[in-house]
Protein backbone atom coordinates (compact mmCIF):
# COMPACT_ATOMS: atom_id res chain seq x y z
CA UNK A 1 0.00 0.00 0.00
CA UNK A 2 2.73 2.33 0.94
CA UNK A 3 4.79 1.28 -1.99
CA UNK A 4 2.04 2.05 -4.47
CA UNK A 5 1.40 5.42 -2.96
CA UNK A 6 5.04 6.44 -3.28
CA UNK A 7 5.21 5.27 -6.87
CA UNK A 8 2.20 7.33 -7.79
CA UNK A 9 3.53 10.46 -6.14
CA UNK A 10 6.84 10.22 -7.97
CA UNK A 11 5.09 9.80 -11.29
CA UNK A 12 2.89 12.82 -10.67
CA UNK A 13 5.90 15.05 -9.84
CA UNK A 14 7.65 13.99 -13.01
CA UNK A 15 4.58 14.96 -15.04
CA UNK A 16 4.43 18.37 -13.31
CA UNK A 17 8.12 19.07 -14.00
CA UNK A 18 7.66 18.29 -17.64
CA UNK A 19 4.79 20.85 -17.93
CA UNK A 20 6.41 23.82 -15.97
CA UNK A 21 9.70 24.12 -17.93
CA UNK A 22 8.14 25.39 -21.16
CA UNK A 23 6.03 27.85 -19.17
CA UNK A 24 9.05 29.36 -17.50
CA UNK A 25 10.79 29.77 -20.80
CA UNK A 26 7.79 31.48 -22.30
CA UNK A 27 7.53 33.78 -19.30
CA UNK A 28 11.18 34.73 -19.59
CA UNK A 29 10.85 35.44 -23.28
CA UNK A 30 7.75 37.55 -22.77
CA UNK A 31 9.45 39.53 -19.96
CA UNK A 32 12.49 40.22 -22.09
CA UNK A 33 10.32 41.44 -24.96
CA UNK A 34 8.41 43.73 -22.60
CA UNK A 35 11.65 45.20 -21.24
CA UNK A 36 12.99 45.86 -24.76
CA UNK A 37 9.76 47.55 -25.77
CA UNK A 38 9.75 49.68 -22.61
CA UNK A 39 13.36 50.76 -23.18
CA UNK A 40 12.62 51.63 -26.82
CA UNK A 41 9.54 53.61 -25.78
CA UNK A 42 11.51 55.50 -23.10
CA UNK A 43 14.33 56.27 -25.53
CA UNK A 44 11.87 57.53 -28.11
CA UNK A 45 10.02 59.76 -25.67
CA UNK A 46 13.06 61.26 -23.88
CA UNK A 47 15.10 61.59 -27.11
CA UNK A 48 12.34 63.65 -28.73
CA UNK A 49 12.17 65.86 -25.66
CA UNK A 50 15.93 66.49 -25.68
CA UNK A 51 15.85 67.24 -29.42
CA UNK A 52 13.08 69.78 -28.93
CA UNK A 53 14.80 71.28 -25.87
CA UNK A 54 17.91 72.33 -27.88
CA UNK A 55 16.16 74.78 -30.26
CA UNK A 56 13.95 75.95 -27.44
CA UNK A 57 17.00 76.83 -25.32
CA UNK A 58 18.64 78.59 -28.25
CA UNK A 59 15.48 80.56 -28.89
CA UNK A 60 15.34 81.51 -25.22
CA UNK A 61 18.94 82.74 -25.25
CA UNK A 62 18.28 84.72 -28.43
CA UNK A 63 15.19 86.25 -26.84
CA UNK A 64 17.30 87.50 -23.90
CA UNK A 65 20.12 88.92 -26.14
CA UNK A 66 20.62 92.73 -25.96
CA UNK A 67 19.44 94.84 -28.85
CA UNK A 68 22.12 96.90 -30.64
CA UNK A 69 22.02 99.33 -33.54
CA UNK A 70 24.43 98.50 -36.36
CA UNK A 71 25.49 100.36 -39.48
CA UNK A 72 27.30 99.39 -42.65
CA UNK A 73 29.63 102.35 -43.26
CA UNK A 74 30.75 101.63 -46.80
CA UNK A 75 33.67 103.67 -48.15
CA UNK A 76 33.98 107.32 -49.18
CA UNK A 77 36.60 109.95 -49.87
CA UNK A 78 37.96 111.33 -46.61
CA UNK A 79 41.03 113.31 -45.68
CA UNK A 80 44.16 111.18 -45.28
CA UNK A 81 46.39 111.96 -42.33
CA UNK A 82 49.89 111.31 -41.04
CA UNK A 83 50.54 111.04 -37.32
CA UNK A 84 53.69 112.56 -35.83
CA UNK A 85 55.16 113.70 -32.55
CA UNK A 86 57.59 116.48 -31.82
CA UNK A 87 58.68 119.34 -29.59
CA UNK A 88 57.09 122.76 -29.23
CA UNK A 89 59.26 125.81 -29.89
CA UNK A 90 58.98 129.49 -30.74
CA UNK A 91 58.56 129.89 -34.47
CA UNK A 92 61.09 132.75 -34.44
CA UNK A 93 63.21 132.61 -31.30
CA UNK A 94 64.97 135.94 -30.73
CA UNK A 95 67.91 136.04 -28.26
CA UNK A 96 68.51 139.50 -26.77
CA UNK A 97 71.88 140.55 -25.32
CA UNK A 98 74.09 143.60 -24.78
CA UNK A 99 74.64 145.67 -27.91
CA UNK A 100 76.55 148.57 -26.28
CA UNK A 101 79.49 148.91 -23.95
CA UNK A 102 77.66 147.29 -21.07
CA UNK A 103 77.97 148.04 -17.40
CA UNK A 104 76.03 147.51 -14.21
CA UNK A 105 72.34 146.64 -14.62
CA UNK A 106 70.17 149.10 -12.69
CA UNK A 107 66.66 147.86 -13.54
CA UNK A 108 64.99 144.86 -15.17
CA UNK A 109 61.54 145.85 -16.39
CA UNK A 110 59.97 142.61 -17.70
CA UNK A 111 59.26 139.07 -16.58
CA UNK A 112 58.85 135.81 -18.55
CA UNK A 113 55.34 135.70 -19.98
CA UNK A 114 55.12 139.45 -20.55
CA UNK A 115 54.21 140.86 -23.94
CA UNK A 116 56.51 143.62 -25.23
CA UNK A 117 56.40 145.96 -28.21
CA UNK A 118 59.22 146.63 -30.64
CA UNK A 119 61.87 148.87 -29.07
CA UNK A 120 60.52 148.54 -25.53
CA UNK A 121 63.20 148.78 -22.82
CA UNK A 122 63.76 145.43 -21.12
CA UNK A 123 66.60 146.48 -18.78
CA UNK A 124 68.68 149.58 -18.10
CA UNK A 125 72.43 149.98 -17.36
CA UNK A 126 74.11 152.64 -15.22
CA UNK A 127 75.17 155.60 -17.42
CA UNK A 128 76.56 158.43 -15.26
CA UNK A 129 79.92 158.50 -17.11
CA UNK A 130 78.25 158.51 -20.52
CA UNK A 131 75.94 161.33 -19.41
CA UNK A 132 78.93 163.53 -18.54
CA UNK A 133 80.57 162.77 -21.87
CA UNK A 134 77.41 163.77 -23.67
CA UNK A 135 77.25 167.04 -21.73
CA UNK A 136 80.86 167.85 -22.67
CA UNK A 137 80.16 167.23 -26.34
CA UNK A 138 77.05 169.38 -26.15
CA UNK A 139 79.22 172.25 -24.84
CA UNK A 140 81.68 171.70 -27.71
CA UNK A 141 78.83 172.30 -30.13
CA UNK A 142 78.19 175.70 -28.57
CA UNK A 143 81.91 176.61 -28.85
CA UNK A 144 82.00 175.57 -32.49
CA UNK A 145 78.88 177.58 -33.27
CA UNK A 146 80.35 180.69 -31.59
CA UNK A 147 83.52 180.35 -33.66
CA UNK A 148 81.44 179.95 -36.77
CA UNK A 149 79.46 183.11 -36.07
CA UNK A 150 82.68 185.09 -35.47
CA UNK A 151 84.18 183.81 -38.71
CA UNK A 152 81.02 184.74 -40.56
CA UNK A 153 81.08 188.29 -39.24
CA UNK A 154 84.77 188.80 -40.09
CA UNK A 155 84.13 187.56 -43.58
CA UNK A 156 81.25 190.01 -44.01
CA UNK A 157 83.40 193.00 -42.94
CA UNK A 158 86.23 191.96 -45.20
CA UNK A 159 83.91 191.74 -48.16
CA UNK A 160 82.68 195.31 -47.44
CA UNK A 161 86.25 196.68 -47.26
CA UNK A 162 87.66 194.90 -50.26
CA UNK A 163 85.92 197.31 -52.62
CA UNK A 164 87.58 200.32 -50.94
CA UNK A 165 90.98 198.77 -51.16
CA UNK A 166 91.55 198.34 -47.45
CA UNK A 167 91.49 194.51 -47.63
CA UNK A 168 93.01 192.43 -50.34
CA UNK A 169 91.17 189.66 -52.10
CA UNK A 170 93.60 187.15 -50.60
CA UNK A 171 92.52 188.18 -47.11
CA UNK A 172 88.89 187.72 -48.08
CA UNK A 173 89.61 184.24 -49.37
CA UNK A 174 91.39 183.34 -46.13
CA UNK A 175 88.46 184.59 -44.07
CA UNK A 176 86.07 182.63 -46.30
CA UNK A 177 88.09 179.47 -45.65
CA UNK A 178 88.11 180.21 -41.91
CA UNK A 179 84.33 180.61 -41.96
CA UNK A 180 83.88 177.27 -43.81
CA UNK A 181 86.24 175.56 -41.36
CA UNK A 182 84.23 176.88 -38.39
CA UNK A 183 80.98 175.62 -39.90
CA UNK A 184 82.56 172.21 -40.47
CA UNK A 185 83.67 172.11 -36.85
CA UNK A 186 80.07 172.75 -35.81
CA UNK A 187 78.93 169.73 -37.86
CA UNK A 188 81.71 167.59 -36.36
CA UNK A 189 80.74 168.61 -32.82
CA UNK A 190 77.09 167.86 -33.52
CA UNK A 191 77.95 164.44 -34.97
CA UNK A 192 80.09 163.59 -31.96
CA UNK A 193 77.26 164.59 -29.66
CA UNK A 194 74.74 162.44 -31.53
CA UNK A 195 77.18 159.53 -31.41
CA UNK A 196 77.48 159.91 -27.65
CA UNK A 197 73.69 159.96 -27.31
CA UNK A 198 73.44 156.83 -29.44
CA UNK A 199 76.05 155.06 -27.33
CA UNK A 200 74.18 156.04 -24.20
CA UNK A 201 70.93 154.84 -25.70
CA UNK A 202 72.47 151.48 -26.50
CA UNK A 203 73.01 150.94 -22.82
CA UNK A 204 69.27 150.20 -22.67
CA UNK A 205 68.50 146.57 -23.56
CA UNK A 206 65.52 146.77 -25.91
CA UNK A 207 63.17 144.32 -27.62
CA UNK A 208 64.12 143.93 -31.30
CA UNK A 209 60.48 143.18 -32.21
CA UNK A 210 57.09 142.77 -30.61
CA UNK A 211 56.60 139.41 -28.96
CA UNK A 212 56.41 137.25 -25.85
CA UNK A 213 59.20 137.15 -23.26
CA UNK A 214 60.21 133.50 -22.82
CA UNK A 215 63.23 133.66 -20.51
CA UNK A 216 65.13 136.22 -18.41
CA UNK A 217 68.76 135.68 -17.38
CA UNK A 218 69.73 139.00 -15.79
CA UNK A 219 69.15 140.70 -12.45
CA UNK A 220 69.75 144.23 -11.10
CA UNK A 221 73.34 144.76 -9.93
CA UNK A 222 74.74 142.31 -12.46
CA UNK A 223 77.62 143.58 -14.62
CA UNK A 224 77.08 142.74 -18.27
CA UNK A 225 79.05 143.28 -21.43
CA UNK A 226 79.45 142.09 -24.99
CA UNK A 227 80.45 138.62 -23.80
CA UNK A 228 77.55 138.13 -21.39
CA UNK A 229 75.52 136.10 -23.87
CA UNK A 230 71.74 135.98 -24.04
CA UNK A 231 69.93 137.98 -21.35
CA UNK A 232 66.37 137.54 -22.70
CA UNK A 233 64.65 135.26 -25.21
CA UNK A 234 61.58 136.43 -27.11
CA UNK A 235 59.07 134.62 -29.32
CA UNK A 236 58.39 137.02 -32.16
CA UNK A 237 54.69 137.81 -32.27
CA UNK A 238 54.10 135.04 -29.72
CA UNK A 239 53.95 132.54 -32.59
CA UNK A 240 54.75 128.90 -31.78
CA UNK A 241 55.49 125.86 -33.87
CA UNK A 242 55.63 122.09 -33.54
CA UNK A 243 58.75 120.51 -34.97
CA UNK A 244 57.17 117.20 -35.95
CA UNK A 245 59.46 114.23 -36.57
CA UNK A 246 58.40 112.24 -39.64
CA UNK A 247 59.75 109.17 -41.39
CA UNK A 248 60.99 109.41 -44.97
CA UNK A 249 57.76 107.92 -46.36
CA UNK A 250 55.49 110.21 -44.36
CA UNK A 251 57.61 113.27 -45.05
CA UNK A 252 57.27 112.67 -48.79
CA UNK A 253 53.47 112.98 -48.51
CA UNK A 254 53.51 116.23 -46.49
CA UNK A 255 53.58 119.58 -48.28
CA UNK A 256 53.84 123.22 -47.25
CA UNK A 257 50.39 124.59 -46.46
CA UNK A 258 49.00 121.26 -45.18
CA UNK A 259 46.52 121.62 -42.31
CA UNK A 260 47.43 119.94 -39.03
CA UNK A 261 45.82 119.36 -35.64
CA UNK A 262 48.21 119.58 -32.66
CA UNK A 263 47.46 118.20 -29.19
CA UNK A 264 49.96 118.95 -26.40
CA UNK A 265 50.76 116.17 -23.96
CA UNK A 266 48.64 116.45 -20.83
CA UNK A 267 45.96 118.51 -22.55
CA UNK A 268 42.67 117.42 -24.10
CA UNK A 269 42.49 120.58 -26.20
CA UNK A 270 43.69 120.57 -29.80
CA UNK A 271 44.96 123.46 -31.90
CA UNK A 272 44.78 124.05 -35.64
CA UNK A 273 48.03 124.79 -37.43
CA UNK A 274 49.63 124.79 -40.84
CA UNK A 275 52.86 123.30 -42.16
CA UNK A 276 55.09 126.22 -43.14
CA UNK A 277 58.33 124.37 -43.76
CA UNK A 278 59.29 120.81 -44.71
CA UNK A 279 62.86 119.80 -44.00
CA UNK A 280 64.92 119.33 -47.17
CA UNK A 281 67.33 117.08 -45.25
CA UNK A 282 66.84 113.58 -43.79
CA UNK A 283 68.83 112.67 -40.70
CA UNK A 284 71.05 109.75 -41.81
CA UNK A 285 71.00 108.28 -38.29
CA UNK A 286 67.28 108.30 -37.56
CA UNK A 287 66.03 108.38 -41.18
CA UNK A 288 63.61 111.13 -40.16
CA UNK A 289 62.93 114.71 -41.20
CA UNK A 290 61.12 117.65 -39.61
CA UNK A 291 57.87 119.29 -40.64
CA UNK A 292 57.44 122.65 -38.91
CA UNK A 293 53.81 123.42 -38.05
CA UNK A 294 52.99 127.07 -37.31
CA UNK A 295 50.57 127.74 -34.44
CA UNK A 296 48.97 130.88 -33.05
CA UNK A 297 49.78 131.88 -29.48
CA UNK A 298 48.04 130.07 -26.63
CA UNK A 299 49.03 129.78 -22.94
CA UNK A 300 48.76 126.00 -23.32
CA UNK A 301 51.50 125.95 -25.97
CA UNK A 302 54.81 126.07 -24.15
CA UNK A 303 58.20 125.88 -25.87
CA UNK A 304 60.02 122.68 -24.98
CA UNK A 305 56.79 120.75 -24.45
CA UNK A 306 55.88 117.52 -26.25
CA UNK A 307 52.88 117.29 -28.59
CA UNK A 308 51.22 115.02 -31.13
CA UNK A 309 50.09 116.12 -34.58
CA UNK A 310 47.70 114.81 -37.22
CA UNK A 311 48.71 116.24 -40.61
CA UNK A 312 46.24 116.13 -43.49
CA UNK A 313 48.03 114.78 -46.56
CA UNK A 314 45.18 114.44 -49.06
CA UNK A 315 42.11 112.29 -49.70
CA UNK A 316 41.75 108.53 -49.25
CA UNK A 317 38.89 106.10 -49.81
CA UNK A 318 38.00 104.79 -46.34
CA UNK A 319 35.02 103.99 -44.06
CA UNK A 320 33.64 106.87 -41.97
CA UNK A 321 32.08 106.16 -38.57
CA UNK A 322 30.43 108.29 -35.87
CA UNK A 323 32.52 108.88 -32.77
CA UNK A 324 30.14 106.72 -30.70
CA UNK A 325 31.15 103.62 -32.68
CA UNK A 326 34.89 103.92 -32.01
CA UNK A 327 36.16 102.80 -28.60
CA UNK A 328 39.65 102.77 -27.12
CA UNK A 329 41.56 101.17 -24.28
CA UNK A 330 45.18 100.44 -23.40
CA UNK A 331 45.47 98.29 -26.53
CA UNK A 332 44.34 101.05 -28.89
CA UNK A 333 41.22 101.91 -30.88
CA UNK A 334 38.63 99.28 -31.75
CA UNK A 335 35.01 98.73 -32.82
CA UNK A 336 32.50 95.92 -32.35
CA UNK A 337 31.09 94.20 -35.42
CA UNK A 338 28.25 91.65 -35.60
CA UNK A 339 29.08 88.46 -37.51
CA UNK A 340 26.79 86.13 -39.46
CA UNK A 341 25.79 84.31 -36.24
CA UNK A 342 24.70 87.58 -34.59
CA UNK A 343 27.67 87.52 -32.24
CA UNK A 344 29.64 90.63 -31.31
CA UNK A 345 33.31 90.52 -32.30
CA UNK A 346 36.02 93.03 -31.40
CA UNK A 347 37.96 94.51 -34.34
CA UNK A 348 41.08 96.67 -33.92
CA UNK A 349 41.15 99.75 -36.17
CA UNK A 350 43.45 102.64 -36.98
CA UNK A 351 41.75 106.02 -37.03
CA UNK A 352 42.53 108.98 -39.26
CA UNK A 353 41.12 112.47 -39.65
CA UNK A 354 38.38 113.48 -37.18
CA UNK A 355 35.80 115.90 -38.57
CA UNK A 356 32.21 116.93 -38.05
CA UNK A 357 31.18 114.06 -40.31
CA UNK A 358 32.88 111.40 -38.17
CA UNK A 359 36.12 109.48 -37.79
CA UNK A 360 37.92 108.06 -40.81
CA UNK A 361 39.02 104.42 -40.39
CA UNK A 362 42.35 104.07 -42.15
CA UNK A 363 42.72 100.33 -41.55
CA UNK A 364 40.82 97.49 -39.87
CA UNK A 365 37.51 97.69 -41.76
CA UNK A 366 36.48 97.01 -45.35
CA UNK A 367 33.26 99.00 -45.08
CA UNK A 368 30.79 96.12 -45.56
CA UNK A 369 30.81 94.97 -41.93
CA UNK A 370 27.91 95.48 -39.52
CA UNK A 371 29.44 97.87 -37.00
CA UNK A 372 27.82 98.49 -33.62
CA UNK A 373 26.83 102.15 -33.60
CA UNK A 374 26.73 102.62 -29.83
CA UNK A 375 26.67 100.66 -26.55
CA UNK A 376 29.81 98.82 -27.63
CA UNK A 377 31.35 99.45 -24.23
CA UNK A 378 28.75 97.12 -22.69
CA UNK A 379 29.44 94.19 -25.02
CA UNK A 380 31.82 91.27 -24.72
CA UNK A 381 33.48 89.39 -27.60
CA UNK A 382 31.33 86.43 -28.63
CA UNK A 383 28.16 87.78 -26.99
CA UNK A 384 24.90 87.09 -28.87
CA UNK A 385 23.05 90.28 -29.82
CA UNK A 386 19.91 91.33 -31.70
CA UNK A 387 21.10 93.75 -34.40
CA UNK A 388 18.88 96.53 -35.76
CA UNK A 389 20.13 98.18 -38.92
CA UNK A 390 20.36 101.96 -39.22
CA UNK A 391 21.43 104.26 -42.04
CA UNK A 392 24.25 106.77 -41.45
CA UNK A 393 23.17 110.36 -41.69
CA UNK A 394 19.65 109.76 -40.38
Amino acid sequence: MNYETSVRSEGASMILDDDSAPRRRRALIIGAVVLVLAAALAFFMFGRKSESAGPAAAQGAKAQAPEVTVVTPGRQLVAGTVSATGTMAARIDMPVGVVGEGGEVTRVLVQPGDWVRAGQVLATIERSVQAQQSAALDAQINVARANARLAEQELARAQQLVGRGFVSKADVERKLATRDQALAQVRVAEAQYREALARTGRLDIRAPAAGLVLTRSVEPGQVVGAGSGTLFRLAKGGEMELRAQLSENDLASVHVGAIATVTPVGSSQSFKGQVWQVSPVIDPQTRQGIARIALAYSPLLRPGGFAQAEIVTGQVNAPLLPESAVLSDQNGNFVYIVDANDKAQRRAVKTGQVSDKGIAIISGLNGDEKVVLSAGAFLNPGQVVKPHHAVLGR
Side-chain angles (χ1 to χ4, degrees):
M1 189 71 171
N2 293 334
Y3 174 75
E4 291 178 357
T5 302
S6 62
V7 171
R8 289 176 182 171
S9 62
E10 289 177 1
S13 63
M14 291 179 61
I15 293 171
L16 291 173
D17 292 339
D18 292 339
D19 293 338
S20 62
R23 282 194 201 132
R24 284 197 297 270
R25 284 197 296 273
R26 283 196 300 272
L28 291 174
I29 293 171
I30 293 171
V33 172
V34 171
L35 290 175
V36 171
L37 292 175
L41 181 61
F43 176 78
F44 177 77
M45 293 178 63
F46 288 103
R48 289 293 300 271
K49 289 182 179 179
S50 62
E51 290 176 359
S52 62
Q59 293 177 359
K62 186 66 178 293
Q64 297 178 358
E67 296 183 359
V68 296
T69 302
V70 298
V71 294
T72 302
R75 301 180 76 89
Q76 56 184 297
L77 288 176
V78 296
T81 60
V82 170
S83 298
T85 56
T87 304
M88 299 297 305
R91 180 176 177 182
I92 300 179
D93 193 332
M94 297 184 298
V96 181
V98 177
V99 296
E101 298 175 0
E104 181 182 353
V105 177
T106 57
R107 291 187 303 166
V108 179
L109 305 176
V110 296
Q111 297 289 343
D114 291 346
W115 285 89
V116 295
R117 63 184 181 276
Q120 180 176 335
V121 177
L122 307 179
T124 60
I125 296 176
E126 197 277 329
R127 63 194 65 200
S128 59
V129 175
Q130 289 83 357
Q132 295 300 321
Q133 291 174 347
S134 298
L137 291 173
D138 187 25
Q140 290 292 333
I141 294 176
N142 294 329
V143 172
R145 286 174 179 172
N147 293 333
R149 285 194 300 269
L150 180 60
E152 184 71 32
Q153 293 171 0
E154 291 181 353
L155 175 62
R157 285 193 298 268
Q159 288 175 340
Q160 292 175 358
L161 296 173
V162 68
R164 300 178 184 179
F166 295 106
V167 177
S168 64
K169 291 184 178 179
D171 290 336
V172 173
E173 290 177 356
R174 282 195 296 271
K175 291 185 181 299
L176 179 61
T178 301
R179 193 276 313 267
D180 292 342
Q181 181 180 7
L183 292 176
Q185 288 176 347
V186 171
R187 291 192 293 270
V188 170
E190 289 176 344
Q192 289 175 343
Y193 177 68
R194 289 193 296 268
E195 179 186 2
L197 291 180
R199 289 181 180 275
T200 303
R202 293 178 68 185
L203 293 175
D204 291 331
I205 301 173
R206 299 177 179 271
L212 178 69
V213 179
L214 299 178
T215 62
R216 159 184 161 172
S217 304
V218 62
E219 298 297 333
Q222 182 176 343
V223 177
V224 296
S228 298
T230 301
L231 303 182
F232 299 92
R233 285 179 53 236
L234 305 181
K236 184 178 180 180
E239 296 179 345
M240 300 294 166
E241 70 175 8
L242 176 67
R243 297 174 182 176
Q245 298 279 349
L246 294 170
S247 65
E248 286 185 88
N249 292 334
D250 290 340
L251 197 67
S253 63
V254 175
H255 60 277
V256 174
I259 303 300
T261 302
V262 176
T263 305
V265 170
S267 174
S268 59
Q269 185 174 353
S270 298
F271 302 88
K272 293 296 183 180
Q274 190 174 25
V275 176
W276 72 276
Q277 185 183 83
V278 178
S279 174
V281 178
I282 298 295
D283 189 329
Q285 302 298 325
T286 63
R287 312 307 304 173
Q288 290 183 330
I290 297 177
R292 303 176 71 174
I293 303 170
L295 299 162
Y297 168 76
S298 171
L300 298 179
L301 299 175
R302 298 181 177 89
F306 200 66
Q308 183 176 6
E310 296 289 336
I311 305 173
V312 179
T313 58
Q315 288 188 326
V316 296
N317 194 17
L320 193 66
L321 289 175
E323 293 185 16
S324 61
V326 182
L327 306 174
S328 62
D329 57 14
Q330 65 274 13
N331 295 323
N333 297 319
F334 66 95
V335 298
Y336 272 104
I337 64 171
V338 178
D339 61 15
N341 297 322
D342 290 341
K343 292 183 179 180
Q345 303 294 344
R346 174 174 170 144
R347 179 75 63 82
V349 297
K350 180 181 178 182
T351 60
Q353 177 72 10
V354 180
S355 64
D356 295 337
K357 296 181 180 179
I359 302 177
I361 307 301
I362 303 303
S363 63
L365 292 178
N366 295 323
D368 55 0
E369 298 90 346
K370 293 185 291 184
V371 182
V372 177
L373 185 61
S374 60
F378 302 99
L379 298 178
N380 295 313
Q383 183 178 356
V384 178
V385 297
K386 294 172 66 176
H388 293 280
H389 288 267
V391 179
L392 289 175
R394 293 185 181 178

